[in-house]
Amino acid sequence: MTRIFSGVKPTGHLTLGNYLGAVRQWVAADQEPDEALFCVVDLHALTVEHEPARVRRLSRQAATLLLASGLDPRRCTLFVQSHVDEHTRLAYLLECTATDGELRRMIQYREKAARAQASGDGVRLSLLTYPVLMAADILAYGTQEVPVGEDQRQHVELTRDLAVRFNQRYGHTFTVPKATHPAVAARVMDLQDPTAKMGKSHENTAGIVYLLDEPEVVRRKVMRAVTDSGEGGVVHDREARPGSANLLDVLAACTGGDPKVLADGYQGYGALKRDVADAVVELLRPVRERHAELAADPGEVERVLRDGAGRARALARPVVDRAYAAIGLLDR
Ligand code: TYM
């Protein structure tokens, strides 16, 4: 068995990018509950301007959507980060392991800090230390694999560096994890700006497919996707033709084909977009249906999260206690 851990941040409605890049891999991991842990990482949502009621609503919605996507609480542990204190307890020890320089180099920090500054908001200190809390999320569980989209690669690399450094200084404490990415659609791009990642907190929503979008909305967004001008038919070239490459990747992820081979079957973008729209609508249909059922019974989701937090705590506590002892703190 491989211990896996991953998380999603409740900063917006979940997107097709979240689903294809991460959540689908979580659902496919057929596991024992103690070996697969999935987390709504609500503390991470506080690192940028946030509205308390919205974070609460989105946390509940993310948990409901993860269950609707097929996570089975009998085969995995689903919980909310802030319910398990071990994450923040461990984060402090890792802040004493990481350096200011390595955190300032994180691409996501640089992008988000620039955005916060431009909008006149200060940059929260927690935005800088975000990857340390993420490392704590992962290391607290002896995680071996972290199924994530491509954009999290640098954060998982940092997590590995911190684990190795801590182990070298204080004796073997942490398992050194590795990131795993899906073969296609590890980075789904925005349909209106195919040079940017499809992100759940972007302001212009025309290029973002949300898991709960109605079929007509999905179709409209896909049919209006920006494609590339250029000679010849449809080709799969991420550099030169990012718009069509993105559509082919999404189609391949939905239907199981190879994006380059799929490209040969199309003369023009109209037919490609129609097929992508159909495939995405069919992919999301069961998720939307199951979400509607679960949303009608919020008590059930709460029960799953409470059970999950209990199981997660029991797994994390011994690891974090070991780290506290190793770094030189007295037993309680
Ligand atoms: P978040 O909430 O931004 O995204 C959740 C997961 O979805 C993936 N993802 C994508 N994959 C492909 N294409 C896209 N356009 C796309 N957008 C998002 C992300 O890679 C991620 O796997 N820092 C993390 C949350 C986190 C975490 C952790 C993850 C906190 N602690 C510990 C793993 C382990 C984040 O912001 O994900």
Side-chain angles (χ1 to χ4, degrees):
M1 273 284 173
T2 304
R3 174 75 59 91
I4 66 180
F5 178 97
S6 201
V8 62
K9 200 168 57 208
T11 44
H13 300 288
L14 264 60
T15 70
L16 182 66
N18 297 130
Y19 186 80
L20 294 178
V23 176
R24 205 155 70 142
Q25 277 54 248
W26 308 353
V27 174
D30 196 2
Q31 293 274 12
E32 297 290 321
D34 282 359
E35 297 300 329
L37 296 111
F38 303 110
C39 189
V40 176
V41 289
D42 52 353
L43 297 172
H44 286 283
L46 312 183
T47 55
V48 288
E49 270 297 299
H50 78 283
E51 197 192 306
R54 183 162 189 265
V55 170
R56 227 179 337 262
R57 197 169 58 246
L58 289 174
S59 296
R60 213 170 284 130
Q61 191 193 65
T64 310
L65 266 172
L66 292 179
L67 293 171
S69 300
L71 285 190
D72 179 348
R74 289 164 304 183
R75 300 205 329 257
C76 71
T77 294
L78 175 64
F79 68 105
V80 175
Q81 183 189 32
S82 62
H83 293 177
V84 180
D85 295 338
E86 274 60 29
H87 294 236
T88 47
R89 279 182 70 213
L90 182 55
Y92 182 72
L93 301 197
L94 297 175
E95 280 180 21
C96 300
T97 308
T99 65
D100 179 67
E102 66 194 340
L103 293 181
R104 286 187 196 281
R105 278 198 293 278
M106 292 289 119
I107 297 164
Q108 292 209 349
Y109 168 72
R110 290 176 21 174
E111 288 172 358
K112 288 185 182 162
R115 234 177 285 147
Q117 233 141 21
S119 67
D121 304 323
V123 179
R124 297 185 181 182
L125 185 55
S126 53
L127 189 65
L128 180 64
T129 56
Y130 180 118
V132 177
L133 179 59
M134 177 163 164
D137 299 337
I138 296 168
L139 299 181
Y141 296 96
T143 303
Q144 292 162 292
E145 287 186 3
V146 189
V148 281
E150 179 69 40
D151 62 326
Q152 297 301 316
R153 187 188 287 273
Q154 195 186 28
H155 288 159
V156 180
E157 272 306 308
L158 177 76
T159 304
R160 290 166 59 84
D161 291 347
L162 297 181
V164 168
R165 195 177 306 155
F166 192 101
N167 287 348
Q168 279 170 351
R169 283 190 192 151
Y170 310 115
H172 184 79
T173 308
F174 297 124
T175 304
V176 181
K178 68 167 202 269
T180 58
H181 307 288
V184 273
R187 188 176 181 84
V188 177
M189 308 309 270
D190 189 286
L191 299 178
Q192 288 299 312
D193 176 5
T195 61
K197 182 187 80 170
M198 184 185 282
K200 59 174 126 56
S201 42
H202 291 180
E203 261 152 41
N204 181 1
T205 58
I208 305 171
V209 174
Y210 296 104
L211 299 192
L212 292 179
D213 277 346
E214 299 284 336
E216 316 79 80
V217 176
V218 173
R219 277 182 208 289
R220 192 169 62 235
K221 287 177 177 174
V222 173
M223 294 310 290
R224 290 185 186 163
V226 169
T227 43
D228 324 275
S229 53
E231 295 294 300
V234 173
V235 290
H236 185 270
D237 180 340
R238 286 205 185 94
E239 293 295 314
R241 311 266 189 101
S244 31
N246 190 40
L247 290 175
L248 288 163
D249 284 345
V250 168
L251 185 62
C254 294
T255 60
D258 175 314
K260 285 196 189 305
V261 176
L262 285 172
D264 296 338
Y266 292 98
Q267 306 302 318
Y269 293 117
L272 171 62
K273 286 178 174 177
R274 270 192 299 281
D275 285 355
V276 172
D278 286 345
V280 174
V281 165
E282 284 318 308
L283 183 79
L284 300 185
R285 186 188 304 285
V287 178
R288 283 181 52 242
E289 288 173 358
R290 181 100 179 94
H291 177 269
E293 286 166 27
L294 285 163
D297 184 7
E300 170 62 12
V301 178
E302 264 172 46
R303 192 187 57 70
V304 168
L305 294 177
R306 215 174 312 117
D307 280 6
R311 283 208 294 255
R313 219 176 283 127
L315 291 169
R317 188 162 295 158
V319 179
V320 177
D321 283 349
R322 232 177 16 249
Y324 266 66
I327 207 169
L329 302 171
L330 286 177
D331 288 345
R332 303 177 178 216

